[in-house]
C-alpha cells in the first residue's frame, strides 16, 4: 500500500503532483509520502497489538531526519548500525530507551556514544566486541544491556548479497558459541544479558525461514533461562520483504506477527522488531527525466538523468524497480522496449534491461517506484554528481528535506597540499 497514484492524468504523491515537485526542485529527486510511512508503522503496530513490542525502525534503510521524525511521532524507536545513525535517531527525537545498536564492527568511540546515551540495547556480534563494551561500560560506571546476535544458520533473503544468517556469513555469533557468549556476559562486570537477537537477511518473501530461525532462537532462550540467565527480550531483526513487482506476494505483516506471536507464546518476552524496507520501501519513489533516446543495434537506450550513484540497488543486487510515467498513458497508447540507463560511466549503471513501457520523449519524466528504502541512503557523489535531493510530502504540502549540495559544498572538504599550490 502506498500513496502514489494518478489524478487528472498526472502522477501524484498524496495530494501533490510529482511534476510540481520536479519543476520546483529539479531531477533526479526522491519523493517520500508521510502518509505511507505512517500507515506502514501503524499496520505493523496493529499486527502486534497486545504484545509487548518495540518497533525499532532500521535507520539504514532511510535515515533522512524528516522520515525519522515522522516515524518518531508514530512511537517508533530505532535500530542503528553506526554512531552517525545513533546521532540521527537522537536528533530526530527518538528516545535512547527505544534505540538498539546493531552492527558487526562498532568502534570503541561508537560504543562510548551508545553508553553515554543510555540506549535500550547493544546487539553484540563477537566475544571481542563484548570485551570492549564491558571495558567501556566499566570505565563509565554504566551497565550495558546486551543481546547476542546469533547466527542460526538459516538461509533467507532476496539475493545472496542480502542473506545474513548462514553459517558462512560474517554476521552473528556462530550458533555453537552462543551459550558460551552468555556465560562470558554473566561473568563480566558492566554488561547484562537481556535478550537474544537474530537478523537473517533482507527482502525475505517467505515465513518459513524466519519461523525456523526464531524457533531456534526461542529454544536457545529456554536453555539460557534454565542456566539462570534472565532473558526478557527477543530481537527478531528486520528483513520482511515488499512487493517490487505486481506479482510479488511477500507475507503481510499480520501473518508475520502471528507467526512471532505463536513462536514466543507464553514466554513473556518483549519483542523487538527492526523493520526497514517494509516501512520505507514503498513510501518513496525517485523521479527522473529522460535526457535522450538512443537507438542502437538490437536495443534502444532510454538515457535518464538519474544514475547508479542516486539509486544503487539495480547495480548492487540486480534489483527490479517498476516505472510509472508522470504523465498517465492510456491502455491503447503505444509501448516499446527500452534499456533504461543513467549517465554514469559504468556498464552497471542500468535501471532495467529490455523493459516494455510507454514510448518516451525527451523531457518526459518517470517515477522509479519502491525506492524509499536503500535508495537515497546508498547514494553517492560518484562522477562528481551532487547528492540527490529528497522531498517529503504531507497531504497537499511538500518540503525539501535534503537539498542538493552546491559544487562549492561538494569540494569544501578537499584541500590542496602545499606542494601543489
Ligand atoms: C539492515 C538491517 C535491518 C533492516 O532490514 P530490512 O530488510 O530493511 O527490514 C534490521 N536489522 C539489522 C541488524 C540490519 O542490518
Amino acid at each position: 500500500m502506498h500513496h502514489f497514484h494518478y489524478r487528472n492524468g498526472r502522477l501524484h504523491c498524496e495530494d501533490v503532483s510529482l511534476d510540481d515537485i520536479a519543476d520546483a526542485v529539479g531531477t533526479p529527486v526522491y519523493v517520500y509520502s508521510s502518509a505511507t510511512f505512517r500507515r506502514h508503522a501503524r499496520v505493523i503496530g496493529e499486527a502486534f497489538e497486545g504484545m509487548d513490542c518495540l518497533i525499532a525502525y532500521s535507520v539504514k534503510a532511510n535515515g533522512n531526519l524528516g522520515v525519522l521524525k515522522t516515524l518518531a511521532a508514530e512511537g517508533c524507536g530505532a535500530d542503528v548500525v553506526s554512531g552517525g545513525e545513533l546521532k540521527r535517531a537522537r536528533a530526530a527525537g527518538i528516545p535512547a530507551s527505544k534505540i538498539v545498536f546493531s552492527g558487526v564492527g562498532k568502534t570503541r568511540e561508537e560504543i562510548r556514544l551508545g553508553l553515554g546515551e543510555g540506549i535500550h540495547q547493544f546487539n553484540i556480534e563477537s566475544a571481542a566486541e563484548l570485551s570492549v563494551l564491558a571495558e567501556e561500560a566499566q570505565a563509565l560506571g554504566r551497565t550495558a544491556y546486551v543481546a547476542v546476535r546469533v547466527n542460526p544458520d538459516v538461509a533467507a533473503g532476496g539475493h545472496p548479497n542480502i542473506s545474513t544468517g548462514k553459517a558462512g556469513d560474517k554476521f552473528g555469533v556462530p550458533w555453537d558459541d552462543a551459550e558460551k557468549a552468555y556465560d562470558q556476559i554473566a561473568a563480566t562486570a558492566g554488561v547484562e544479558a537481556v535478550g537474544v537477537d537474530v537478523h537473517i537477511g533482507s527482502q525475505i518473501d517467505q515465513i518459513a525461514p524466519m519461523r525456523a530461525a526464531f524457533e531456534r532462537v526461542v529454544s536457545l532462550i529456554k536453555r539460557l533461562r534454565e542456566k539462570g540467565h534472565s532473558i526478557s527480550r527477543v530481537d527478531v531483526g528486520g528483513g520482511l520483504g515488499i512487493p517490487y513487482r505486481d506479482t510479488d506476494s511477500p507475507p503481510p505483516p499480520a501473518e508475520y506477527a502471528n507467526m512471532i506471536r505463536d513462536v514466543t507464546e507464553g514466554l513473556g518476552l518483549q519483542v523487538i522488531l527492526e523493520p526497514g524496507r517494509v516501512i520505507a520501501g514503498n513510501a518513496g519513489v525517485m523521479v527522473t527525466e529522460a535526457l535522450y533516446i538512443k537507438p542502437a543495434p538490437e536495443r534502444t537506450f532510454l538515457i535518464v538523468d538519474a544514475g547508479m550513484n542516486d539509486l544503487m540497488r539495480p547495480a548492487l543486487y540486480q534489483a527490479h524497480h517498476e516505472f510509472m510515467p508522470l504523465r498517465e498513458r492510456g491502455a491503447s497508447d503505444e509501448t516499446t522496449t527500452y534499456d533504461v540507463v543513467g549517465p554514469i560511466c559504468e556498464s552497471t549503471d542500468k535501471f532495467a534491461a529490455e523493459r516494455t513501457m510507454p514510448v518516451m520523449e525527451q523531457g518526459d519524466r518517470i517515477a522509479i517506484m519502491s525506492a524509499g528504502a536503500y535508495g537515497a541512503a546508498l547514494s553517492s557523489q560518484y562522477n562528481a554528481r551532487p547528492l540527490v535531493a529528497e522531498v517529503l510530502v504531507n497531504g497537499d504540502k511538500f518540503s525539501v528535506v535534503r537539498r542538493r549540495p552546491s559544487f562549492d559544498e561538494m569540494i569544501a572538504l578537499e584541500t590542496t597540499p602545499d606542494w601543489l599550490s
Side-chain angles (χ1 to χ4, degrees):
M1 236 308 275
H2 60 69
H3 296 76
F4 298 90
H5 46 249
Y6 289 109
R7 190 181 287 175
N8 309 322
R10 295 283 161 176
L11 190 61
H12 282 61
C13 174
E14 302 184 28
D15 300 328
V16 181
S17 162
L18 293 179
D19 270 315
D20 289 349
I21 294 174
D23 288 343
V25 185
T27 54
V29 59
Y30 278 89
V31 180
Y32 308 130
S33 160
S34 299
T36 310
F37 271 104
R38 284 195 287 260
R39 183 189 145 80
H40 289 167
R42 284 176 200 173
V43 165
I44 294 171
E46 284 162 15
F48 284 87
E49 193 109 27
M51 294 172 75
D52 178 10
C53 175
L54 170 64
I55 301 175
Y57 167 69
S58 176
V59 173
K60 82 175 192 284
N62 185 330
N64 185 282
L65 287 175
V67 165
L68 296 182
K69 283 181 182 170
T70 302
L71 292 173
E74 292 298 315
C76 289
D79 171 47
V80 302
V81 293
S82 71
E85 286 191 355
L86 175 53
K87 288 180 186 171
R88 275 187 178 276
R90 293 293 292 123
I94 297 175
S97 61
K98 289 184 181 177
I99 296 177
V100 299
F101 198 159
S102 299
V104 69
K106 303 174 198 72
T107 65
R108 213 173 257 280
E109 200 179 351
E110 289 174 322
I111 285 171
R112 247 180 250 138
L113 183 68
L115 285 166
E117 292 281 348
I119 61 169
H120 188 55
Q121 178 172 303
F122 286 88
N123 291 338
I124 286 298
E125 300 216 18
S126 64
E129 182 193 1
L130 182 66
S131 300
V132 171
L133 175 62
E135 266 173 46
E136 293 299 330
Q138 288 162 24
L140 287 170
R142 296 234 168 183
T143 301
Y145 300 100
V146 174
V148 175
R149 175 169 176 183
V150 294
N151 183 325
D153 194 17
V154 171
H159 185 275
N161 292 2
I162 50 177
S163 167
T164 58
K166 275 296 285 174
D169 293 331
K170 74 175 176 182
F171 299 101
V173 169
W175 185 253
D176 293 334
D177 298 340
E179 281 186 50
K180 254 186 306 181
Y182 284 90
D183 293 339
Q184 184 191 345
I185 296 168
T188 310
V191 286
E192 189 179 318
V194 291
V196 179
D197 169 44
V198 70
H199 171 73
I200 58 172
S202 199
Q203 187 52 17
I204 303 172
D205 58 2
Q206 312 252 309
I207 286 284
M210 295 192 275
R211 178 183 267 274
F214 301 164
E215 282 175 346
R216 292 204 92 179
V217 164
V218 162
S219 72
L220 174 64
I221 289 174
K222 287 179 179 161
R223 262 181 287 137
L224 291 171
R225 282 180 168 179
E226 276 164 24
K227 289 178 73 179
H229 301 286
S230 55
I231 304 296
S232 58
R233 305 175 192 167
V234 63
D235 183 334
V236 297
L240 196 56
I242 63 165
Y244 282 99
R245 294 176 161 87
D246 288 348
T247 50
D248 288 347
S249 52
E255 189 183 338
Y256 173 72
N258 288 340
M259 177 271 288
I260 292 172
R261 188 176 278 119
D262 189 40
V263 172
T264 60
E265 185 81 63
L267 293 171
L269 292 164
Q270 178 189 45
V271 175
I272 299 173
L273 311 168
E274 300 173 353
R277 189 188 309 272
V278 73
I279 288 183
N282 289 327
V285 304
M286 182 173 62
V287 178
T288 183
E289 192 166 293
L291 292 174
Y292 303 108
I293 289 125
K294 171 164 141 172
E298 293 175 22
R299 54 192 66 215
T300 300
F301 292 104
L302 175 64
I303 303 169
V304 297
D305 66 358
M308 61 187 279
N309 68 301
D310 304 307
L311 175 62
M312 210 162 128
R313 298 190 66 257
L316 199 57
Y317 317 119
Q318 288 82 50
H320 176 95
H321 287 270
E322 291 289 334
F323 304 133
M324 286 175 82
L326 265 50
R327 183 165 55 80
E328 189 175 18
R329 311 300 163 94
S332 59
D333 282 12
E334 205 187 338
T335 60
T336 186
T337 302
Y338 293 115
D339 277 19
V340 181
V341 301
I344 302 286
C345 302
E346 298 278 350
S347 293
T348 51
D349 183 28
K350 182 180 284 190
F351 294 117
E354 295 178 46
R355 180 71 63 88
T356 300
M357 52 191 285
V359 171
M360 302 291 290
E361 288 165 25
Q362 231 165 299
D364 276 351
R365 290 169 179 153
I366 55 174
I368 302 184
M369 306 304 291
S370 312
Y374 308 105
L378 273 161
S379 61
S380 76
Q381 301 196 142
Y382 186 42
N383 278 202
R385 289 163 56 83
L387 268 188
V388 60
E390 297 173 87
V391 164
L392 184 63
V393 170
N394 187 34
D396 60 1
K397 296 195 185 67
F398 76 89
S399 169
V400 178
V401 288
R402 182 174 82 187
R403 67 173 171 81
R404 234 174 243 102
S406 68
F407 177 71
D408 285 343
E409 286 170 322
M410 285 169 66
I411 60 166
L413 299 180
E414 297 175 37
T415 48
T416 305
D418 51 11
W419 65 89
L420 291 176
S421 50

